[in-house]
Amino acid sequence: MGLLNLLSADRSENLFLPAHGRGGALPKNIRKLLKLRPGVWDLPELFEIGGPLISEGAIAESQNSSAMQVGVDRCWYGVNGATGLLQSSLLALARPGQAVLMPRNVHKSCIQACLFGGLIPLLFDVPYFTDRGHASVFDRKWLQRVFRKAKQLDEDIAAVVLVNPTYQGYSADMESLINEIHAHSLPVLVDEAHGAYLISQIRADLPRSAIYFGADLVVHSLHKSASGLVQSAVLWSQGNKVDPLKIERSIDLLQTSSPSSLLLASCEGSIKELFESKWLKKLNSRIEEAELLRDFLINKEVPLLQNSDPLRIILHTSKFGLSGIEVDKRFIKKRIIGELAEPGTLTFCLGFSSHKRLGKRFVRIWNEILTSFGQQKPCLFKRPPFSIVSKPYKPCSYSWASNFEKVNLQDAIGRISVEMVCPYPPGIPLLIPGEILDQSRVDWLIEQKYFWPDQIPDFVRVIS
Ligand SMILES: Cc1ncc(COP(=O)(O)O)c(C=O)c1O
């Protein structure tokens, strides 16, 4: 069909990201811009425009005003997604040879930063929902245990990363976690890729952004959880634990020398909107609509899981013994396209456009799927075999750059991986470069291969 044709083709129900729903919920100013003569907005870092790292010009003014609006010291717009800004943050937080504590459900971009920054990822285990195969959130006690174990590894820990909310919309008590990290005099970077709209504090019953609990650095993916264009993102910084100059040097290291003015305008537009009363009214009605949809589906016995983000609907397919990946294919055939298909669930992202007539259609399709597969017993997932805190057996960067050979998974016991094994989405690595494949990890990966047949290969590349 060709990319250009595909881009203009109609898709009936977008329940995937970006959250602007194929333009339906783009900020008014961006829509206006896109209606002008195509390309007039495609400009370089001209004098009046500037760029994310230039102290004068429209972008500097816009960044300053966004930071002021949110109540933080600084912010930087980004054109390489949350990925780019998480990586810049990590390079600003730690030097080569230093360690960063990160949860096992960290996004692959953070591991990549360790790889090229020479950092040591100290990965800590997180609670796990065996009924659906998801990483869960954890509390302060859990984190205290992580710190006790991490100290035994005798590494120079420079910072901690938290991921909140998760892709599926689970959220932790961030205040207590951030306080705990600060009690250890460490800075915390919060990957809030999925929680940008929470900075608007629209409702008291929704999670609050980690910004309001004093997180030192927070990264938002503006296309995932605000109405930005794909690749738009923002990094917020506050307090005196991280030097802004280090952040700028790191952004400069990784950012293109020609950031797109359209994407930067989209950063501005999607952030400003989060504080405009008209948009907040619209957001509120989207949330209410989502809650009605959820109630309707639950009343019709569609198995939905509880989370903290009303705009993310998690269909619990494994409750009926079904794979979310297979169920996703059926929904796609019926022209409902979800976001995150996993072995035990299928997560739909409602985004910021309206889905008023979705309920009945959803129920009909789900019932057809159940009839055609036949109801099966609930499927339980085995907890991953991770120790509470672990560090790679060999440095990530060394392993990644090592000569390698390809071995079948079952023959990989005792070998050291040179790569990530990482189903995408969600982009959470199951194995990272430098980790050793012991028996339990190999058994678990073989089992995971059964659940993610197209995403996990039969082989792994290991140091030769
Ligand atoms: C938790 C989390 N962090 C970061 C990212 C990267 O976001 P982006 O696509 O904006 O680079 C993702 C993408 O899936 C994610 O799920």
Side-chain angles (χ1 to χ4, degrees), residues 20 30 33-34 41-43 52 59 77-81 222-223 227-234 256 258-271:
H20 62 67
I30 296 295
L33 194 65
L34 290 172
W41 30 258
D42 201 15
L43 291 166
I59 293 167
Y77 299 160
V79 296
N80 186 23
L222 294 169
H223 60 105
S227 53
L229 290 169
V230 166
Q231 288 184 219
S232 58
V234 61
T256 166
S258 318
S260 153
S261 47
L262 177 63
L263 291 183
L264 293 167
S266 162
C267 292
E268 172 181 279
S270 55
I271 293 168

Side-chain angles (χ1 to χ4, degrees), residues 88-102 110-123 150 153-161 184-187 241-243 246 250 390-392 394-397 432:
S88 298
S89 302
L90 278 163
L91 296 194
L93 284 166
R95 292 190 304 274
Q98 286 192 306
V100 181
L101 257 181
M102 308 182 185
C110 294
I111 304 297
Q112 289 160 344
C114 293
L115 220 156
F116 53 70
L119 317 181
I120 302 170
L122 290 187
L123 292 174
L153 294 176
D154 209 20
E155 292 293 342
D156 178 10
I157 301 174
V160 182
V161 176
H184 292 263
S185 305
L186 288 172
K241 288 196 173 59
V242 196
D243 181 353
K246 282 192 178 172
S250 304
S390 56
K391 81 169 196 189
K394 294 254 184 208
C396 273
S397 355
I432 68 169

Side-chain angles (χ1 to χ4, degrees), residues 80-84 86 107 109 163 167 191 193-194 221 223-224 424 426:
N80 186 23
T83 295
L86 285 167
H107 185 254
S109 53
V163 182
Y167 212 139
D191 175 355
H194 296 284
S221 178
H223 60 105
K224 284 181 157 47
Y424 195 90

